[in-house]
Amino acid sequence: FRAMALMIIVFCLLKPFITIPQTNPEDSYLLVLVDASKSMQLADCAENKSRIEVVRDLLFNPQGGLIHQLKKKFKTRLFAFSSDSKRISITDALNADGDYTDIPTSLGEALEDVKGVPLSGAVLISDGADKSGEDIAKIGYRLRARKVPVHAVGVGSTEGVNDLELVRVDAP
């Protein structure tokens, strides 16, 4: 009993404390990554709009676009990505002309761009048609190590689009 009491007194004399890291949203950044691959040109959304048109309306609509609302709370970094990512501004045209979607590489490049900067999270807007063949878990581990949550926003039909294949051509 005395040994236990002595240990508690010694422990209290060491003045232990717990550090809980907190990120203040006003002082941190939010990554917003938008898929700009050609698959975003498909018009399979409401009102026969293309996926990229829906994203433009969602983010940049002057009457309450999401990017304007996010800027009130966070410092934002906007990226367009396909096979790689590039930083864009709100005034840049968002076109879906990239070759293919490579989510792991694009997330990794965006993380490198904000190296050393406090991050609150990342918002990934895509149709999810990733053609990279890479294991996305690797970038997931890097994000987890930095304690960066990723919020994925899916765009487009959940049923997908059938591909066409030309089997044979007969010429007269």
Side-chain angles (χ1 to χ4, degrees):
F1 178 74
R2 289 182 188 172
M4 183 68 138
L6 183 61
M7 286 177 46
I8 291 173
I9 291 172
V10 169
F11 182 73
C12 290
L13 289 173
L14 292 174
K15 297 181 182 179
F17 62 92
I18 297 175
T19 302
I20 300 173
Q22 290 183 331
T23 304
N24 187 2
E26 291 84 16
D27 297 332
S28 64
Y29 286 83
L30 179 70
L31 296 179
V32 179
L33 294 100
V34 179
D35 189 345
S37 64
K38 289 179 183 170
S39 64
M40 294 291 283
Q41 293 175 2
L42 291 173
D44 63 349
C45 297
E47 300 173 13
N48 209 26
K49 287 185 175 182
S50 71
R51 297 170 179 178
I52 198 71
E53 288 173 325
V54 170
V55 171
R56 280 189 210 114
D57 289 346
L58 173 73
L59 290 178
F60 306 118
N61 187 333
Q63 291 84 26
L66 185 60
I67 202 77
H68 300 296
Q69 293 175 23
L70 290 172
K71 280 188 165 290
K72 292 177 185 174
K73 189 165 185 170
F74 301 98
K75 296 175 184 174
T76 59
R77 294 260 174 108
L78 185 60
F79 292 86
F81 74 93
S82 56
S83 56
D84 60 353
S85 67
K86 68 175 184 175
R87 197 162 156 201
I88 61 172
S89 69
I90 294 175
T91 57
D92 289 341
L94 186 57
N95 297 316
D97 53 7
D99 294 328
Y100 61 94
T101 304
D102 186 347
I103 293 174
T105 299
S106 300
L107 266 171
E109 289 174 357
L111 275 177
E112 284 299 314
D113 189 75
V114 293
K115 200 175 203 176
V117 174
L119 286 177
S120 290
V123 178
L124 179 74
I125 303 171
S126 175
D127 57 9
D130 180 62
K131 303 289 186 204
S132 67
E134 284 187 49
D135 184 13
I136 198 158
K138 291 178 184 176
I139 192 69
Y141 292 132
R142 282 182 55 198
L143 290 161
R144 185 170 57 180
R146 284 192 67 179
K147 295 180 174 57
V148 177
V150 177
H151 307 279
V153 179
V155 180
S157 173
T158 57
E159 296 166 14
V161 178
N162 292 329
D163 288 336
L164 297 177
E165 179 181 357
L166 189 60
V167 178
R168 190 174 98 190
V169 176
D170 289 328

